Amino acid sequence: MFQRTAATGEDAWTPSSGIVPSSIEKDTQLEDSEDSDIGPESSVINIKKKRENFTNANTYKKAKKKVGGAQKLSHQIDRLCEAVERRSSNKNDTLGPSITQAIEELDAIPDIDPLGQIYMFATRLFLDKDKRELFVALKHNEVKVAWLMNEKNVQEEKENSLFTKLF
């Protein structure tokens, strides 16, 4: 807070300067009026005691901050763990049908040969979550086959148009 602040003038004094200005000596004497032997040596001793008390208080505050920092770090780690747990539980809720479920439904369609092109195309198509979800959502086998054929045709058209653009 007082990093770039400097005391100047006739009342400026630091413990390293050694000589206590008379105005500080008077202020110290007023504060310590209950002491019986007031003199320049006692005021310097009182200032040194105050400085020790100030240093001890600062050391205590720094130590307290370190403990607070550890507590804060622990709290932040707890929050991160909770966020990861919430995120993983949300993923389980919103994953939708798995690839295994989609392939089981594909296997249940008698019109599709497991060694045929449509079957192999469908297995690659199921890597896309949205398309897998749509396939599982379709109720009738005929509609599923028609949708797979349409997706295959759309992809072939994209590949052909890309090929013609290159040459």
Side-chain angles (χ1 to χ4, degrees):
M1 184 168 155
F2 298 106
Q3 253 180 341
R4 295 189 176 144
T5 305
T8 58
E10 61 187 62
D11 291 332
W13 178 79
T14 61
S16 61
S17 65
I19 302 171
V20 181
S22 61
S23 61
I24 293 178
E25 189 175 311
K26 290 176 187 172
D27 290 342
T28 307
Q29 288 174 357
L30 290 175
E31 289 175 5
D32 299 328
S33 60
E34 67 270 355
D35 291 343
S36 60
D37 56 346
I38 299 175
E41 291 178 5
S42 65
S43 63
V44 170
I45 291 170
N46 288 335
I47 290 173
K48 285 184 180 179
K49 286 181 184 177
K50 287 181 182 177
R51 187 172 74 178
E52 287 174 6
N53 290 340
F54 179 74
T55 306
N56 291 340
N58 282 345
T59 305
Y60 175 73
K61 286 179 184 174
K62 287 180 184 175
K64 188 176 180 183
K65 286 182 183 176
K66 287 182 183 177
V67 171
Q71 289 174 347
K72 186 175 181 180
L73 182 62
S74 175
H75 178 70
Q76 293 295 338
I77 290 172
D78 290 342
R79 287 184 57 207
L80 279 171
C81 291
E82 289 172 6
V84 168
E85 288 172 0
R86 273 186 271 133
R87 186 173 181 192
S88 63
S89 68
N90 286 344
K91 278 186 178 179
N92 292 337
D93 294 342
T94 60
L95 274 181
S98 68
I99 293 174
T100 306
Q101 289 172 325
I103 290 183
E104 285 174 358
E105 291 203 17
L106 183 66
D107 288 338
I109 301 172
D111 298 341
I112 296 181
D113 178 24
L115 299 174
Q117 289 183 348
I118 295 292
Y119 189 92
M120 296 301 162
F121 171 76
T123 58
R124 288 189 309 275
L125 190 68
F126 295 156
L127 295 175
D128 184 345
K129 177 187 167 206
D130 294 333
K131 293 185 180 186
R132 178 175 67 235
E133 214 172 301
L134 183 76
F135 178 81
V136 172
L138 297 173
K139 300 294 180 199
H140 304 289
N141 287 342
E142 299 82 21
V143 177
K144 288 181 180 184
V145 171
W147 180 77
L148 285 172
M149 294 295 290
N150 183 49
E151 286 294 314
K152 187 173 186 298
N153 291 336
V154 168
Q155 185 173 2
E156 286 175 351
E157 288 175 11
K158 285 181 183 177
E159 290 172 358
N160 288 338
S161 65
L162 180 65
F163 183 74
T164 56
K165 286 181 182 178
L166 290 175
F167 296 104

